[in-house]
């Protein structure tokens, strides 16, 4: 299990032209030594990250307006 030093996720939410939103996520895997991450491991990590974003619904995001 000591094959990865860390995994970082960067998520950006942007407004889309049709009034919705676009979510872009970048994952960086930092391996230890000469360990090479296989495609299966990357897919598993992607699926796990998607689990965290599934509960988000359009109604979860509100536009804040100044008072």
């Amino acid at each position: 299990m000591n094959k990865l030093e860390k995994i970082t996720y960067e998520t950006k939410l942007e407004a889309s032209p049709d009034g919705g939103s676009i979510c872009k996520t970048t994952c960086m895997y930092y391996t230890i030594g000469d360990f090479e991450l296989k495609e299966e491991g990357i897919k598993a990590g992607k699926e796990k990250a998607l689990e965290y974003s599934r509960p988000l619904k359009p109604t979860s995001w509100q536009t804040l307006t100044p008072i």
Side-chain angles (χ1 to χ4, degrees):
M1 206 55 210
N2 295 329
K3 305 287 184 187
L4 295 174
E5 178 185 341
K6 63 183 173 181
I7 304 171
T8 61
Y9 298 95
E10 179 181 340
T11 303
K12 293 181 181 182
L13 294 170
E14 301 174 355
S16 67
D18 64 354
S21 59
I22 300 169
C23 179
K24 297 179 182 181
T25 302
T26 303
C27 304
M28 297 292 294
Y29 294 85
Y30 296 87
T31 59
I32 296 174
D34 59 352
F35 175 73
E36 188 173 320
L37 192 59
K38 305 274 187 219
E39 186 67 29
E40 299 87 35
I42 294 171
K43 285 182 182 179
K46 181 179 178 181
E47 289 175 15
K48 192 68 169 174
L50 285 174
E51 287 179 23
Y52 293 112
S53 64
R54 285 191 182 124
L56 301 177
K57 297 178 182 160
T59 56
S60 301
W61 301 96
Q62 297 179 7
T63 303
L64 300 176
T65 55
I67 298 176

